[in-house]
Amino acid sequence: MIDDGPAYKLVLQRAVKRFDLELREWPWPPDRARGDRETYWRVRFEDTLFRVGLGVRKLIEAAKLSVEAQERPVAVTFVPAKGGRRPNAIDQHHIDRFYDLEAARPDRIPLLILCHAIVHSYVLLPRFDGSAVTRLQLKDFYLASDRGRVNGIYLVDWKTFVDEVVTPVTSDGVVGMVILRLPNGEDFRFSTSSSIDSPDSRDRLMERHAALSKGNAEGMRKFMSDWRRGYGALSDPLERGAS
């Protein structure tokens, strides 16, 4: 478990900043990887991304990330599946074979759902860009979980990921925590960044946290339906195959 949430969040933020800095200022890989720079930076990207995805999961398990932060909307582009075949381990990088790029549309999903997709990712494809002026940069990345890939794939802008995932997580301030002892002897814990000023506000937060944490398809569909109504987001076909 994480003893110091703010310190752990700082470590996640520094890992992302270090990746960006080295990519921009010193894009040449170590001698042992010099022959394949593309593979080296792809691995560095995956390592950095998984630190954030798994880090968010650990913060939640330790009740060090507020329900409000978990629910925050993250802007993505959703690209629906063409139908028929689904990508496998050999040809998953051929995005245009399996997904309708012309039907791509902007969407928003909760921060935690995006991190779940990272942890359970099946398709994870970064796209780099750069020039003599801009240096080497990570532009965006395609992401689909093992189950979500059947319905579609997300395209996530890297700057958006930093601004709408990493920054909110690292700046999240937990001001309250609820701990309940369940009949089976286990503890039910969740934290909040707002004051719990009434039983109704506590119950609402408990319900949202429980829906986020269930992981079963029916519970996730209900949560996503309520969440989209609350945030005015578009209807998402991924709800039918929750990640």
Side-chain angles (χ1 to χ4, degrees):
M1 302 300 286
I2 300 168
D3 292 327
D4 194 328
Y8 188 81
K9 294 171 184 177
L10 179 61
V11 169
L12 294 181
Q13 185 181 46
R14 292 189 66 178
V16 173
K17 286 186 174 181
R18 186 182 303 114
F19 170 77
D20 273 337
L21 179 63
E22 293 182 9
L23 181 64
R24 182 178 66 253
E25 301 296 337
W26 195 257
W28 301 277
D31 290 339
R32 285 180 296 176
R34 194 171 296 277
D36 193 350
R37 186 173 73 166
E38 180 180 352
T39 297
Y40 173 79
W41 282 112
R42 187 174 68 248
V43 170
R44 283 290 307 274
F45 156 74
E46 292 182 2
D47 175 72
T48 303
L49 197 68
F50 275 101
R51 283 174 184 260
V52 177
L54 288 170
V56 166
R57 295 275 290 268
K58 294 303 294 182
L59 285 166
I60 294 170
E61 290 174 8
K64 299 296 175 64
L65 188 69
S66 70
V67 175
E68 292 85 355
Q70 298 173 44
E71 288 185 340
R72 283 183 63 95
V74 180
V76 298
T77 298
F78 176 74
V79 185
K82 289 182 176 179
R85 293 174 58 224
R86 67 182 65 180
N88 56 42
I90 297 177
D91 55 11
Q92 56 160 307
H93 58 288
H94 294 293
I95 302 298
D96 57 324
R97 291 184 185 177
F98 307 100
Y99 303 102
D100 189 353
L101 298 177
E102 294 185 358
R105 61 172 174 80
D107 198 3
R108 293 187 297 169
I109 57 175
L111 182 152
L112 177 59
I113 301 304
L114 180 61
C115 289
H116 280 330
I118 291 171
V119 173
H120 298 286
S121 59
Y122 189 94
V123 180
L124 185 57
L125 183 65
R127 299 198 302 178
F128 294 92
D129 195 7
S131 68
V133 177
T134 63
R135 307 287 183 89
L136 186 61
Q137 296 179 338
L138 174 58
K139 180 181 177 183
D140 51 30
F141 59 94
Y142 285 106
L143 169 68
S145 69
D146 49 359
R147 286 186 289 176
R149 64 192 167 107
V150 177
N151 299 301
I153 192 169
Y154 296 125
L155 177 62
V156 186
D157 179 79
W158 177 247
K159 185 177 185 304
T160 298
F161 179 79
V162 173
D163 292 345
E164 299 185 6
V165 176
V166 179
T167 299
V169 166
T170 56
S171 62
D172 180 49
V174 173
V175 301
M177 182 183 299
V178 173
I179 304 177
L180 299 175
R181 179 59 60 90
L182 302 178
N184 61 5
E186 295 183 0
D187 289 334
F188 177 80
R189 304 187 301 162
F190 70 89
S191 54
T192 175
S193 59
S194 59
S195 60
I196 304 175
D197 52 11
S198 69
D200 287 343
S201 63
R202 186 193 67 173
D203 292 344
R204 186 191 69 82
L205 284 168
M206 287 178 57
E207 182 180 353
R208 305 291 284 185
H209 179 271
L212 276 166
S213 305
K214 280 179 181 176
N216 63 70
E218 186 60 35
M220 186 55 64
R221 276 195 294 270
K222 183 180 185 303
F223 167 77
M224 287 302 300
S225 178
D226 293 343
W227 183 88
R228 290 184 177 280
R229 281 199 300 270
Y231 284 97
L234 299 173
S235 176
D236 187 356
L238 278 186
E239 292 175 23
R240 296 193 298 271
S243 59

